[in-house]
Amino acid sequence: MTDFLISSLALVITLPFPFLFLFYFFARKWYRHKQKAFHQSVTVTAPIFIVSVHVLLFVLFERSFFAYIIIMLLLLLALSVVIQYKVHDEIRLFKAIKSFWRLSFLLFFAVYSSLSLFGLINRIFFS
C-alpha cells in the first residue's frame, strides 16, 4: 500500500500537467462553473508545481535550490502585500495570500514549462 502511495506521489510530482487537467476535469464536474473550477485547480496544483520545479532543478543541475525557492516565495508574498496596500490602502491578509498563491502558480507553471523544455533540449542535443 505504501509503495502505491509513494509511486502515485512521484507520478504527480514528475508529471504535474496531467494532474492539473485531471483535477480541472473533476472540479468542473463538481462545481459546474468553469472559472470556479479553474481557480480551485490552481489552488490545489500550485504546491505541486513548486515541488516539481524543485525536483526538476535538482535533476537538471544536481544541486538543491530549495532555499532560493523559499526566498522567492517570500518575496512574492511581500510583493502581493505591497501591491494590495498600494491599491486598496489596507491589507486584507486572505486576499493577499490568495493573490500570492495564484501568482506563484503562474510563475512556477512557466518555470516548470521552461525547465522541461530546457531539459529536453539539453538531453537530446548535448548528451
Side-chain angles (χ1 to χ4, degrees):
M1 181 67 180
T2 57
D3 290 337
F4 174 73
L5 289 175
I6 291 172
S7 300
S8 300
L9 184 63
L11 183 67
V12 166
I13 289 173
T14 55
L15 298 171
F17 288 125
F19 180 73
L20 173 67
F21 293 126
L22 184 70
F23 193 83
Y24 174 72
F25 175 75
F26 285 124
R28 192 163 170 206
K29 294 291 181 188
W30 181 265
Y31 290 111
R32 295 185 176 100
H33 193 265
K34 290 180 185 180
Q35 189 175 9
K36 199 173 209 181
F38 179 73
H39 286 215
Q40 190 65 28
S41 300
V42 165
T43 302
V44 170
T45 57
I48 293 169
F49 274 100
I50 293 169
V51 172
S52 296
V53 165
H54 172 66
V55 169
L56 198 56
L57 282 169
F58 188 77
V59 167
L60 289 175
F61 301 112
E62 297 176 351
R63 63 180 273 221
S64 178
F65 290 92
F66 186 70
Y68 297 112
I69 291 173
I70 295 297
I71 291 170
M72 188 170 59
L73 286 171
L74 289 172
L75 288 174
L76 275 176
L77 180 60
L79 179 70
S80 175
V81 168
V82 167
I83 288 173
Q84 187 183 14
Y85 177 73
K86 294 288 184 180
V87 171
H88 298 291
D89 289 333
E90 68 177 276
I91 298 172
R92 296 186 190 128
L93 192 58
F94 181 73
K95 197 169 184 179
I97 291 173
K98 195 171 170 183
S99 63
F100 152 72
W101 206 241
R102 290 180 182 166
L103 183 64
S104 65
F105 170 81
L106 287 175
L107 177 71
F108 282 95
F109 181 84
V111 169
Y112 182 82
S113 301
S114 302
L115 282 174
S116 295
L117 186 65
F118 171 76
L120 201 70
I121 291 171
N122 190 26
R123 300 291 172 163
I124 289 174
F125 294 114
F126 302 113
S127 291

